[in-house]
């Protein structure tokens, strides 16, 4: 799920860039020094996750990870995703540099939302944490697909049609992502629960 | 950036293979009077020996079929190669991870410097 170069109108690309810069700046201001290593590791995982292709029927899907990044990093997730997407676009040719702003918004906003949601609904038990992780993971993709449709709507596509298409294409991703997130969160909860007390402030 | 270093070697290989394929049969084709049009002319001119001309034509046709077949394989190989070059590999992934760790290392460095400058913070 990446918007390519030249799809969006220039004004939208520029606006998305401005919003991304603002978001990255805000999340940079809220970073605490002791969280830097964690953010670095999660960013690296986010960056590499898109290379892991899971065969699925005739095609293959890859992980997107906005939900789990949000759950682990809280408000720093936006910066993390912007950095990861920037490197993906220059090293992997995913998306394009002009669409980077839009791509960062598309993944970053769901990450932030899922981060807050995760902190709000995760209780203190393993089960609730796991469910919260799964919800965050699945919802991240769902929201990203919705944002993708919204962005494509500005380029003159029919919103409902694109939204349906994006949703249908990503149903397997949503399921896989939810499972992966649930597993990750339950593992971290058992092994090092203080990692989940995220930078949310 | 890594890609630009990797690409030339396979590209050169393909390039020289193609050059070889195009050039190796040339003397042969020249000996057979070159293009099919030339052969047609030769047939029209040498009506005293039609048997020989038919033989030449058959040889040429067979030759052309073989060339087409080989060209098709080469084209397929080029397509596969292009795809392999486009696809990000382990090197790109490692490079990206290095960038990320480096960036956050710089951030940590700046933060620690700021902390040292006003320790009460």
């Amino acid at each position: 799920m990446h918007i390519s170069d030249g799809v969006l109108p220039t004004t939208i690309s520029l606006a998305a860039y401005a919003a991304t810069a603002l978001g990255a700046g805000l999340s940079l201001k809220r970073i605490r020094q002791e969280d830097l290593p964690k953010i670095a590791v999660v960013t690296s995982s986010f960056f590499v996750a898109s290379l892991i292709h899971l065969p699925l029927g005739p095609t293959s899907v890859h992980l997107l990870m906005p939900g789990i990044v949000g759950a682990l990093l809280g408000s720093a997730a936006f910066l993390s995703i912007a950095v990861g997407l920037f490197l993906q676009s220059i090293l992997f040719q995913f998306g394009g540099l002009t669409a980077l702003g839009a791509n960062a918004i598309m993944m970053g906003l769901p990450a932030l939302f899922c981060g807050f949601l995760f902190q709000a609904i995760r209780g203190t038990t393993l089960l609730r944490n796991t469910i919260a992780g799964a919800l965050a993971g699945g919802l991240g993709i769902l929201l990203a697909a919705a944002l993708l449709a919204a962005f494509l709507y500005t380029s003159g596509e029919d919103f409902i049609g694109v939204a349906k298409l994006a949703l249908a294409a990503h149903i397997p991703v949503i399921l896989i992502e939810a499972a992966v997130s649930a597993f990750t969160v339950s593992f971290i909860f058992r092994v090092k629960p203080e990692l989940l007390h995220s930078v949310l402030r | 950036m890594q890609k630009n270093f990797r690409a030339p070697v396979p590209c050169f290989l393909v390039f020289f293979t193609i050059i070889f394929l195009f050039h190796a049969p040339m003397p042969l084709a020249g000996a057979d009077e070159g293009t099919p049009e030339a052969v047609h002319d030769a047939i029209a001119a040498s009506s005293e020996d039609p048997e020989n001309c038919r033989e030449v034509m058959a040889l040429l046709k067979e030759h052309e079929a073989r060339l087409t077949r080989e060209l098709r394989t080469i084209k397929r190989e080029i397509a596969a190669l292009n795809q392999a070059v486009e696809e990000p590999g382990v090197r790109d992934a490692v490079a990206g991870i290095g960038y990320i760790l480096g960036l956050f290392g710089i951030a940590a460095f700046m933060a620690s410097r700021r902390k040292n400058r006003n320790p009460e913070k």
Side-chain angles (χ1 to χ4, degrees):
Chain A
M1 187 177 349
H2 293 276
I3 300 175
S4 299
D5 273 330
V7 175
L8 295 177
T10 318
T11 47
I12 299 292
S13 304
L14 288 179
Y17 252 108
T20 304
L22 187 72
L26 281 181
S27 81
L28 192 61
K29 277 196 84 148
R30 303 181 113 200
I31 284 178
R32 287 177 304 181
Q33 193 192 347
E34 55 268 33
D35 288 323
L36 280 173
K38 178 172 131 188
I39 298 169
V41 170
V42 175
T43 307
S44 305
S45 322
F46 168 75
F47 167 76
V48 176
S50 62
L51 282 187
I52 303 171
H53 286 262
L54 308 167
L56 188 106
T59 68
S60 74
V61 297
H62 67 80
L63 294 176
L64 295 162
M65 299 227 322
I68 188 74
V69 170
L72 288 176
L73 295 186
S75 57
F78 198 87
L79 178 73
S80 160
I81 280 176
V83 170
L85 282 178
F86 172 68
L87 285 170
Q88 280 183 352
S89 75
I90 60 169
L91 287 171
F92 299 165
Q93 281 85 42
F94 285 174
L97 273 186
T98 59
L100 179 64
N103 280 322
I105 299 276
M106 190 175 85
M107 299 290 260
L109 287 187
L112 288 182
F113 180 80
C114 290
F116 288 112
L117 181 81
F118 176 76
Q119 294 301 334
I121 62 175
R122 88 190 186 92
T124 45
T125 61
L126 174 64
L127 182 67
R128 277 192 68 166
N129 269 274
T130 310
I131 290 171
L135 262 180
L139 206 61
I141 309 288
L142 196 69
L143 289 176
L147 279 175
L148 172 73
F151 268 119
L152 291 182
Y153 177 65
T154 65
S155 74
E157 305 272 349
D158 142 53
F159 177 78
I160 300 294
V162 177
K164 270 187 194 156
L165 205 67
L167 202 62
H170 285 93
I171 283 173
V173 190
I174 291 173
L175 297 179
I176 294 172
E177 193 96 358
V180 169
S181 302
F183 174 76
T184 311
V185 168
S186 74
F187 181 75
I188 292 175
F189 185 81
R190 272 174 291 176
V191 177
K192 201 164 164 45
E194 59 268 30
L195 266 187
L196 294 176
H197 301 297
S198 87
V199 265
L200 198 68
R201 284 184 302 157
Chain B
M1 288 301 112
Q2 303 287 334
K3 211 151 286 157
N4 296 345
F5 283 105
R6 247 186 339 169
V9 178
C11 284
F12 278 139
L13 272 182
V14 171
F15 181 65
F16 284 121
T17 319
I18 291 170
I19 293 284
F20 173 76
L21 272 180
F22 271 108
H23 280 256
M26 276 306 175
L28 222 163
D32 287 348
E33 294 288 51
T35 57
E37 285 84 14
V39 175
H40 275 297
D41 291 346
I43 290 171
S46 63
S47 48
E48 67 269 14
D49 196 359
E51 198 52 45
N52 188 21
C53 278
R54 227 167 278 141
E55 219 168 78
V56 168
M57 270 302 276
L59 266 176
L60 256 187
K61 268 196 182 135
E62 189 200 329
H63 185 226
E64 203 188 313
R66 205 181 61 221
L67 262 189
T68 316
R69 219 165 34 237
E70 276 177 9
L71 215 61
R72 204 178 302 141
T73 359
I74 292 291
K75 271 184 188 160
R76 213 174 296 144
E77 267 168 30
I78 291 179
L81 203 71
N82 263 339
Q83 213 173 5
V85 168
E86 279 290 304
E87 216 164 69
V90 178
R91 229 183 252 209
D92 298 309
V94 174
I97 294 173
Y99 267 111
I100 290 168
L101 294 186
L103 277 177
F104 282 99
I106 290 171
F109 171 68
M110 304 272 260
S112 80
R113 257 170 52 121
R114 200 175 305 146
K115 207 175 221 176
N116 283 345
R117 208 173 290 156
N118 33 346
E120 74 279 359
K121 198 176 167 188

